[in-house]
Amino acid sequence: MTARVDRVLRDMGLAQAGDLTVIAAGSPPGQPGSTNSLKVHRVGDQDD
Amino acid sequence: MDVRQLRYFLAVVDHEGFNRAAEHLLIAQPSLSQTIKALEQEVGVPLFHRVGRRAVLSQAGKELVGPARVVVRDLDVAKSAIDALKGVRSGRLDLTAMPSPGIEPLTSMIATYTRLHPSVTVSVGAAFTTEDVVASVRNGTSEIGILGSDKPFRAPDVDVMQLERQPLVLIINPHADVFGRRDAIERADLGGHRVVASQRGSLMRWLVDDILASGISVEIAVEVAHRTSILPLVLAGVGHAVMPSSWAPLARQSGLRVVGIKPTSVLYVAVLSRQADLTPSARAFLGVAADYAASHARRLSRLRPVKQVFALTPSQAAMNVMTLAWGIQPLQVPFVAHPMA
């Protein structure tokens, strides 16, 4: 998922390599209010 | 004789005089007197005896009170029935849902809906296949359908709102929990285990069959049509169960452990509706569903984030809602087969 977000943001020119992002996700989906994962991700890093 | 005359007549009776009746009706007293006079001319007898400033019902007036109340009340009932059709003040919402989406997201959406529209009675019918859900929406048995399928659902002549993806998870038999503390297991880890499975046709059964087909020896201990029997059977130690994640909260509340299964299979949940002529109660439900699809971003938005928030979603309904969410830039992305992998 991180790799997808990374690619979308870069493809659309919304972020460039080196930018710091916080990725919030609910996992598994299907449970409302389930933001249970937060990931600090540097755009361009292959850290998935 | 018209209903306005009857209303004025009853006002004079209930307020025991022309002055107070006119005040209550917010009209001038002479115009009230004229209306009553016209009514008396029409019926040919006086309805009131004027005694000083008071108005006392005549015998004919007394006879008119009962029937006049019936007419006015019936008309009020008729009007409120028409009003109810125009707005979501009362009424009924007929839904058809498949079992797993019928737990979640349906429960959350109904909870929101009944809070917003407490006078609408929600009726949820059952369907076991996507075809049955589509048929019920097409033939008008229900206005809204909720289904889960193994790929993003599409159908002609009905509106489809993509809502969410539910990964299939393993609900672990507490008597055979040999999986340690892992969050997810591999399919191969199920080798030699007994499972409780639904009948053929469901995605969760398909996954079990797929695991079997790949040469892993899973034993189907029980095959059960009632989804509601599955968790009790797991609790009783009959076997593990593969189910959509919508069942996970119930399973955890029962003290059962839930883990992911890799590679992940997902159930795509969608809301169907007729393309035209929806009742206000059904339109209101679609609004609740779109809010649900965008609920993650809406919660973030409420925090008034100072950093830019990008919200990725495949759902057009969620896009529409998030466009109006403070500080959120929605980005539409295509569906992917295995978002969790």
Side-chain angles (χ1 to χ4, degrees), chain B residues 159-222:
Chain B
D159 278 346
V160 182
M161 182 192 295
Q162 308 292 347
L163 216 53
E164 67 178 12
R165 293 169 301 224
Q166 299 180 355
L168 294 190
V169 295
L170 186 72
I171 296 174
I172 297 177
N173 173 5
H175 302 283
D177 188 354
V178 295
F179 301 110
R181 295 283 99 190
R182 281 178 292 167
D183 291 340
I185 61 153
E186 304 290 327
R187 290 182 179 189
D189 295 334
L190 280 172
H193 281 272
R194 289 160 68 82
V195 298
V196 178
S198 64
Q199 291 180 317
R200 285 214 157 75
S202 69
L203 180 64
M204 50 196 190
R205 174 56 185 271
W206 170 85
L207 180 59
V208 171
D209 287 343
D210 198 45
I211 292 171
L212 274 169
S214 66
I216 300 161
S217 61
V218 179
E219 187 188 340
I220 295 180
V222 189

Side-chain angles (χ1 to χ4, degrees), chain B residues 93 160 312:
Chain B
L93 175 62
V160 182
L312 280 65

Side-chain angles (χ1 to χ4, degrees), chain B residues 7-337:
Chain B
R7 274 187 210 284
Y8 285 10
F9 166 72
L10 290 172
V12 177
V13 173
D14 293 339
H15 295 277
E16 294 174 357
F18 283 78
N19 271 328
R20 275 190 287 169
E23 259 173 51
H24 177 77
L25 292 166
L26 303 174
I27 58 171
Q29 200 255 328
S31 114
L32 175 60
S33 295
Q34 289 222 326
T35 304
I36 298 296
K37 199 173 285 172
L39 184 58
E40 286 175 323
Q41 274 166 7
E42 192 178 331
V43 297
V45 285
L47 298 167
F48 295 100
H49 298 303
R50 276 74 170 174
V51 183
R53 286 172 169 251
R54 290 180 56 218
V56 179
L57 276 172
S58 68
Q59 189 56 40
K62 282 178 189 160
E63 296 291 329
L64 184 60
V65 172
R69 288 202 198 283
V70 171
V71 169
V72 169
R73 193 190 53 223
D74 284 356
L75 193 76
D76 287 345
V77 169
K79 275 179 82 171
S80 68
I82 301 297
D83 285 347
L85 288 176
K86 288 190 285 189
V88 196
R89 249 166 291 172
S90 66
R92 184 185 168 84
L93 175 62
D94 288 302
L95 308 171
T96 295
M98 284 171 67
S100 292
I103 296 202
E104 283 295 353
L106 185 58
T107 304
S108 294
M109 291 191 293
I110 287 181
T112 306
Y113 186 82
T114 52
R115 189 165 40 75
L116 295 174
H117 308 290
S119 56
V120 178
T121 304
V122 180
S123 155
V124 184
F128 291 92
T129 63
T130 54
E131 291 79 16
D132 289 346
V133 177
V134 173
S136 80
V137 170
R138 280 208 185 117
N139 68 26
T141 312
S142 54
E143 286 199 273
I144 307 276
I146 292 151
L147 56 76
S149 60
D150 59 347
K151 48 186 170 297
F153 186 79
R154 293 187 208 309
D157 357 307
V158 289
D159 278 346
V160 182
M161 182 192 295
Q162 308 292 347
L163 216 53
E164 67 178 12
R165 293 169 301 224
Q166 299 180 355
L168 294 190
V169 295
L170 186 72
I171 296 174
I172 297 177
N173 173 5
H175 302 283
D177 188 354
V178 295
F179 301 110
R181 295 283 99 190
R182 281 178 292 167
D183 291 340
I185 61 153
E186 304 290 327
R187 290 182 179 189
D189 295 334
L190 280 172
H193 281 272
R194 289 160 68 82
V195 298
V196 178
S198 64
Q199 291 180 317
R200 285 214 157 75
S202 69
L203 180 64
M204 50 196 190
R205 174 56 185 271
W206 170 85
L207 180 59
V208 171
D209 287 343
D210 198 45
I211 292 171
L212 274 169
S214 66
I216 300 161
S217 61
V218 179
E219 187 188 340
I220 295 180
V222 189
E223 188 181 83
V224 58
H226 288 293
R227 303 292 199 281
T228 43
S229 304
I230 297 179
L231 283 185
L233 286 167
V234 174
L235 272 170
V238 174
H240 309 300
V242 174
M243 301 189 90
S245 62
S246 55
W247 293 82
L250 271 177
R252 290 199 183 93
Q253 276 164 32
S254 314
L256 294 170
R257 229 159 62 74
V258 180
V259 295
I261 306 169
K262 297 209 163 175
T264 311
S265 296
V266 294
L267 188 68
Y268 291 86
V269 178
V271 171
L272 307 192
S273 56
R274 257 206 316 263
Q275 284 178 326
D277 301 328
L278 285 178
T279 62
S281 16
R283 277 203 303 273
F285 187 87
L286 291 180
V288 168
D291 280 351
Y292 177 91
S295 56
H296 202 131
R298 289 170 67 232
R299 269 194 304 276
L300 279 176
S301 169
R302 257 175 246 143
L303 300 172
R304 295 293 182 262
V306 289
K307 292 289 183 188
Q308 180 63 55
V309 176
F310 302 109
L312 280 65
T313 179
S315 162
Q316 183 59 46
M319 287 292 293
N320 296 346
V321 172
M322 293 192 301
T323 303
L324 284 173
W326 197 99
I328 305 289
Q329 181 171 345
L331 304 173
Q332 194 161 21
V333 294
F335 274 107
V336 283

